[in-house]
Amino acid sequence: MVSRVIPVDPFDLVIFGGTGDLAQRKILPALFRRFCAGQWPESARIIAAARSELSTDAFRKLVAESLRSYAPRRSGEVENLQGFLQRLDYVQLDALSTGGWDELAGKLTPDRVRAFYFSVGPSLFAPLAERIRAHALATKDTRIVVEKPFGHDLESARDLNATLAAHFYEGQIYRIDHYLGKETVQNLMAVRFGNMLFEPLWNSQYVDHIQITVAETVGVKGREDYYERAGAMRDMVQNHLMQLLCLIAMEPPAKFDPDAVRDEKLKVIRALDPVEPHHIVRGQFAAEADGSGYREVVGNPRSTTESYVALKAHISNWRWAGTPFYLRTGKQLVARSSVINVQFKDAPHSIFGEAAGRHANALSIRLQPNEGITLKVTIKEPGQGGMRLIDVPLDMSFAEALGPENQDPPDAYERLIMDVIRGNQTLFMRGDEVEAAWAWTDPIIAGWQARGDVPKPYDSGSTGPGDAELLMKRDGRHW
Ligand code: NAP
């Protein structure tokens, strides 16, 4: 089964911050792979912009080097490299001054899709929007792509939304959360709304609880300043985990269209109850492999920033009243794993008696690594006298099920950037969604500050603070 590549319309993509880490590690490799897949029209162009003095040739060399590291070659890609590099251009430009903007304007082609990717620090998002408008670079086919973090709290997110709205209409603003571009995350919707099997059971009558885990082995090196100001709540929960929660919990949209999907996600966020302080565990890793803990890494011996959060959330609506959602995420943990577990309730009555034990179905959706779905079902233990039951996994690894051509599905950025060019906002966050998410997380953070809360230490390479286990244990459950 080979996936079909649908070519996009001709485009000019301007990457502000084209020399930076994200552009070199994710955006340009993603564009290269779409180029190799034949999705680009002949005339499409990428123009990188940053303050560094670089010739276009020097920029192309930089990109060739990055692609060597971040886009390992597959067949056909070596021949494509020169073709890709020829489509790159570079403009020296400062987002905070007027120099370079006329040169950029001169490189843009009229009457085609024009996308401006803001791959720069968040303090430059508003100045860039203002300057694009001031230099008359925005056409009716213009889109802007805004990276995370989108604000630091509700107030700053509102300000940023208002600034962007002064220059662009909502249909032109693509707030990126790369989790939404992951194949398995989109598969959440396909599994829920493409099958008859799951949706009738997808409610508090049949689902005992839902767990969402995003565990990382990496620490915060290289992002110390940002992370110290953000912490796990702002860095991960407010965006990635809440987006996953929305896709798991939302009502079926009438169609797979941007506003229908985002309306349903917004309703979930607005139905979230405030979180009780004793339903949250904050942690901070105590020692990295080289012996230094979070506080040493960020150089703040009194830091109270959390590198781990676990919490229990409730959604007050007809579908989910009474079904808790447990969310957890952390850095420097024992394994890198993003997984959603839907734990169904026990069968109401066991005809096999006490000896058969208690069994319940569970659906695990693995986002990474080894994307796939496992359904835990109960069967008879073979060869035993009487009727003893055991649980076995019905396991579907997408890579195995879809065959060797699909071992390497498109990266999230590949999908999302092509959606920007196509003008499809379904997998991007709308302004009101982002604000609603901040409105839910702000009081949690304010509560920590008011109480002078100090995160619980946990060992690097562990599963997180012991209190996170207790959070579940108190409810008679476990992660
Ligand atoms: P970075 O490595 O520091 O790159 C910043 C880029 O912006 C550089 O190309 C820099 O080049 C350019 N720049 C800085 N000031 C500028 C100005 N005044 N005018 C024009 N260009 C300017 O940062 P990054 O890690 O790529 O992150 C970029 C954005 O993506 C941030 O908002 C970040 O939060 C977000 N993000 C990054 C990652 C990641 O993995 N890196 C992941 C998710 C989100 P010059 O210095 O030459 O101007």
Side-chain angles (χ1 to χ4, degrees):
M1 193 192 318
V2 182
S3 53
R4 236 163 12 111
V5 173
I6 304 167
V8 295
D9 289 338
F11 63 87
D12 285 346
L13 171 64
V14 178
I15 309 175
F16 295 111
T19 55
D21 176 66
L22 182 70
Q24 296 292 321
R25 219 162 37 81
K26 289 288 181 185
I27 303 171
L28 286 155
L31 285 159
F32 176 55
R33 292 178 72 172
R34 289 297 90 204
F35 177 82
C36 295
Q39 201 161 17
W40 280 33
E42 258 302 295
S43 60
R45 291 281 175 280
I46 297 173
I47 302 150
R51 291 168 308 177
S52 301
E53 196 180 339
L54 276 183
S55 65
T56 290
D57 266 355
F59 178 71
R60 288 176 180 168
K61 281 201 182 92
L62 176 74
V63 175
E65 201 51 49
S66 297
L67 293 179
R68 251 184 281 286
S69 307
Y70 302 119
R73 299 288 146 71
R74 292 179 301 189
S75 61
E77 293 185 355
V78 176
E79 306 89 87
N80 279 320
L81 182 62
Q82 284 314 316
F84 177 74
L85 295 176
Q86 288 312 310
R87 286 167 173 79
L88 304 183
D89 215 330
Y90 181 81
V91 177
Q92 187 185 356
L93 169 155
D94 188 338
L96 298 173
S97 82
T98 48
W101 288 89
D102 289 342
E103 190 189 346
L104 174 61
K107 291 189 187 282
L108 296 171
T109 322
D111 302 328
R112 61 158 61 179
V113 171
R114 196 173 273 188
F116 295 100
Y117 199 126
F118 295 5
S119 183
V120 291
S123 63
L124 298 179
F125 295 165
L128 278 176
E130 282 155 8
R131 283 196 161 67
I132 290 169
R133 185 56 72 185
H135 289 87
L137 301 187
T139 58
K140 70 172 176 34
D141 281 330
T142 288
R143 288 119 213 208
I144 59 167
V145 184
V146 187
E147 262 298 334
K148 85 170 219 193
F150 197 94
H152 182 73
D153 53 17
L154 176 58
E155 193 186 341
S156 54
R158 270 190 185 141
D159 287 349
L160 182 54
N161 271 335
T163 307
L164 299 183
H167 305 291
F168 300 94
Y169 59 86
E170 183 62 33
Q172 295 180 298
I173 304 169
Y174 289 69
R175 296 173 194 78
I176 210 161
D177 181 331
H178 72 274
Y179 264 61
L180 293 178
K182 288 179 187 284
E183 278 289 301
T184 326
V185 174
Q186 294 163 59
N187 250 321
L188 271 179
M189 286 184 275
V191 166
R192 281 195 63 193
F193 305 128
N195 294 287
M196 193 55 209
L197 200 58
F198 300 113
E199 197 51 25
L201 306 179
W202 212 261
N203 55 58
S204 58
Q205 194 181 343
Y206 300 103
V207 176
D208 177 71
H209 73 275
I210 290 177
Q211 302 179 10
I212 302 177
T213 299
V214 177
E216 297 180 292
T217 50
V218 293
V220 300
K221 282 200 178 117
R223 305 170 69 206
E224 295 88 347
D225 289 348
Y226 158 73
Y227 201 88
E228 180 60 358
R229 277 178 281 116
M233 195 70 182
R234 290 189 170 98
D235 185 48
M236 296 296 289
V237 178
Q238 186 272 345
N239 38 66
H240 305 320
L241 274 83
M242 285 193 72
Q243 288 295 320
L244 298 179
L245 173 78
C246 287
L247 296 178
I248 279 284
M250 71 184 185
E251 295 300 314
K255 339 178 235 194
F256 191 58
D257 114 337
D259 276 328
V261 171
R262 296 184 302 176
D263 285 348
E264 296 306 335
K265 282 163 55 193
L266 179 63
K267 284 184 210 162
V268 173
I269 304 176
R270 289 193 171 151
L272 277 166
D273 288 345
V275 183
E276 303 279 342
H278 62 284
H279 288 164
I280 310 185
V281 177
R282 293 172 85 209
Q284 192 183 64
F285 63 83
E288 282 194 321
D290 63 3
S292 49
Y294 176 87
R295 292 177 173 184
E296 288 77 47
V297 176
V298 299
N300 178 2
R302 292 170 188 279
S303 170
T304 56
T305 300
E306 76 286 352
S307 58
Y308 180 100
V309 177
L311 62 85
K312 176 162 78 164
H314 284 283
I315 299 173
S316 278
N317 63 17
W318 271 54
R319 186 188 284 265
W320 293 119
T323 296
F325 287 71
Y326 298 92
L327 276 51
R328 63 175 170 166
T329 181
K331 299 232 166 264
Q332 205 77 43
L333 296 174
V334 61
R336 173 173 167 262
S337 155
S338 299
V339 60
I340 299 169
N341 280 325
V342 180
Q343 179 63 54
F344 290 92
K345 292 184 175 174
D346 290 352
H349 164 69
S350 171
I351 64 168
F352 306 111
E354 286 295 305
R358 310 284 295 168
H359 297 270
N361 301 120
L363 181 71
S364 281
I365 301 147
R366 295 184 304 275
L367 309 182
Q368 63 189 22
N370 186 20
E371 300 192 342
I373 289 180
T374 303
L375 180 64
K376 194 178 86 177
V377 291
T378 304
I379 61 164
K380 177 186 174 298
E381 190 174 349
Q384 297 291 328
M387 187 61 102
R388 287 175 182 274
L389 304 182
I390 52 167
D391 296 325
V392 292
L394 282 184
D395 205 344
M396 189 175 82
S397 151
F398 293 155
E400 276 171 32
L402 298 175
E405 313 84 359
N406 291 284
Q407 291 284 337
D408 198 9
D411 168 79
Y413 279 91
E414 293 178 53
R415 165 69 200 250
L416 293 174
I417 298 170
M418 288 300 108
D419 276 359
V420 171
I421 306 301
R422 276 189 284 257
N424 184 345
Q425 289 186 304
T426 310
L427 300 177
F428 295 82
M429 295 179 295
R430 210 167 54 192
D432 50 5
E433 260 185 90
V434 179
E435 289 184 17
W438 281 121
W440 186 70
T441 48
D442 270 6
I444 299 174
I445 297 168
W448 292 336
Q449 285 162 355
R451 291 191 301 277
D453 189 90
V454 178
K456 298 275 186 314
Y458 63 92
D459 288 338
S460 277
S462 71
T463 55
D467 283 14
E469 301 296 331
L470 283 179
L471 178 74
M472 293 290 259
K473 225 175 175 173
R474 278 202 302 263
D475 295 345
R477 300 180 173 112
H478 56 85
W479 292 104

